[in-house]
Amino acid sequence: MKRWFATPAELRKAGVLGLNGRNGSFVMRLNKRSRYPDVDDKVRCKKLLEQRGMPVPGLIGQISYSGQSGRFDRMLGGREKFVIKPASGSGGDGILVITGQRGGRYISSGGRLWDRDEISHHLTNVISGLYSLGGQPDTAMIEELVEFDPVFEHIAFQGVPDIRVIVYRGVPIMSMVRLPTRASDGKANLHQGAIGAGISIASGKTIAAVIGNHHIEEHVDTGMPLLGFEVPEWDRIVLMAAHCYEAVQLGYLGVDIVLDRNRGPLILELNARPGLNIQIANHGGLRARLDAVDASDIAGAPAEQRALWAKDTFGPR
């Protein structure tokens, strides 16, 4: 009888990295605690990246205390589209994407109408720490809305897909694109119901896809094929991911990138403890790729060489 699960021994044999292995052998060893604020605080991270000339979504303003939340619209400068994010949030919780206005009310990415007081209340929840790591008081960021690149329109349901790249000692080693669905309410978070599609580091083409723990080949809402899709500007994306290592000096890093129709690839955020579902999305484990980097001397090379080495080593598929 065919089993729908694998034993721990079988996962190790397949080179799958587990949570304990990630934390003990990579995150704790290579990511200094003193550097965590550089990525956990999204405002600080954005400024670090901008100082290095790396493209990021524009910051409209910040709200740090409740007295400001009722005046958020003054910061917008007439913009009808924007995104509210907890500066120290995780997993996409607390993110509110506003895609326009109708009759004096705001329209979120899921189509819900929000009045001004509801937006203000949401901002108050953010700064009270409702969505922050550890529940600590937080800052609400108001960012410019990334304009959806139409190249994804047939394999994403509303929202903006994002591309996750795992970077180990400065080398991009594995990637996937997270595709919003109706169930994820237009958000690109796997635990909220988005699709994860593995991307070949060598070619930039999708090679496998999952929703939850189920392998799929078509988008659950649009019905369009998910495999063989070629992500545009792939060489630039891989190089941007490699450069992020110099910006934050974290040896095990998740880099999230979005494609804006006008500006091209933008770095959305960095993560010091990137999740492991990327292995399911790629139908392959991380271990062999981590070992390949350790067995080489590529880690000390410039970002351009690390990116080329990754494309030559982890492909073609």
Side-chain angles (χ1 to χ4, degrees):
M1 178 181 297
K2 185 176 181 180
R3 289 180 289 129
W4 57 270
F5 63 90
T7 66
E10 289 170 334
L11 292 174
R12 281 195 297 273
K13 186 177 180 181
V16 173
L17 182 66
L19 194 61
N20 289 339
R22 182 201 67 175
N23 293 341
S25 300
F26 301 103
V27 172
M28 294 178 66
R29 180 170 63 90
L30 296 170
N31 293 354
K32 292 182 179 179
R33 294 287 300 180
S34 60
R35 304 304 300 244
Y36 277 31
D38 289 346
V39 295
D40 287 347
D41 183 334
K42 294 179 177 60
V43 175
R44 182 166 166 171
C45 186
K46 185 186 292 288
K47 290 178 179 175
L48 278 173
L49 294 170
E50 285 182 323
Q51 287 168 6
R52 288 184 167 269
M54 303 182 76
V56 297
L59 181 65
I60 297 172
Q62 304 175 57
I63 292 180
S64 303
Y65 56 89
S66 58
Q68 292 177 303
S69 62
R71 303 191 297 270
F72 73 91
D73 45 354
R74 298 182 187 177
M75 295 182 178
L76 297 178
R79 295 177 180 85
E80 294 189 350
K81 303 176 181 179
F82 56 93
V83 180
I84 294 173
K85 291 181 179 178
S88 301
S90 66
D93 294 336
I95 295 177
L96 178 59
V97 179
I98 298 297
T99 59
Q101 292 189 28
R102 183 189 305 158
R105 301 172 77 187
Y106 298 91
I107 308 170
S108 67
S109 57
R112 179 187 162 187
L113 292 174
W114 297 63
D115 63 31
R116 186 178 177 283
D117 288 344
E118 289 176 309
I119 299 284
S120 176
H121 181 67
H122 181 75
L123 287 165
T124 301
N125 284 338
V126 171
I127 62 179
S128 71
L130 183 62
Y131 308 108
S132 70
L133 292 166
Q136 300 299 312
D138 202 359
T139 294
M141 304 166 57
I142 303 180
E143 269 187 352
E144 294 176 353
L145 178 66
V146 173
E147 293 290 341
F148 182 74
D149 191 315
V151 72
F152 289 110
E153 65 180 343
H154 297 303
I155 57 170
F157 180 80
Q158 300 180 345
V160 179
D162 71 14
I163 296 161
R164 160 68 58 87
V165 183
I166 300 294
V167 178
Y168 176 56
R169 299 174 63 200
V171 181
I173 61 170
M174 189 171 280
S175 181
M176 67 175 169
V177 58
R178 295 178 291 199
L179 303 166
T181 65
R182 185 188 301 273
S184 73
D185 193 27
K187 297 176 182 175
N189 294 99
L190 300 187
H191 77 277
Q192 293 176 332
I195 292 168
I199 304 173
S200 165
I201 288 287
S203 67
K205 292 183 179 179
T206 52
I207 53 177
V210 295
I211 184 166
N213 290 323
H214 302 286
H215 297 298
I216 57 175
E217 294 187 355
E218 298 174 351
H219 195 284
V220 292
D221 298 310
T222 69
M224 297 300 290
L226 294 169
L227 310 188
F229 174 83
E230 187 167 356
V231 178
E233 302 206 53
W234 185 243
D235 288 352
R236 186 178 172 193
I237 289 170
V238 175
L239 180 57
M240 285 168 60
H243 272 299
C244 286
Y245 171 70
E246 276 77 19
V248 295
Q249 295 291 308
L250 294 175
Y252 189 82
L253 178 68
V255 178
D256 293 345
I257 295 173
V258 292
L259 285 179
D260 183 278
R261 71 166 68 196
N262 301 311
R263 299 182 60 195
L266 305 175
I267 300 172
L268 197 60
E269 60 183 58
L270 307 181
N271 193 314
R273 317 163 198 80
L276 297 167
N277 281 352
I278 194 170
Q279 298 174 106
I280 301 174
N282 277 272
H283 290 199
L286 281 162
R287 283 284 185 186
R289 301 188 183 201
L290 295 163
D291 291 344
V293 174
D294 287 339
S296 74
D297 57 1
I298 190 61
E304 289 78 5
Q305 291 184 27
R306 300 196 304 267
L308 287 174
W309 183 89
K311 288 171 62 66
D312 289 342
T313 304
F314 303 130
R317 282 193 59 176

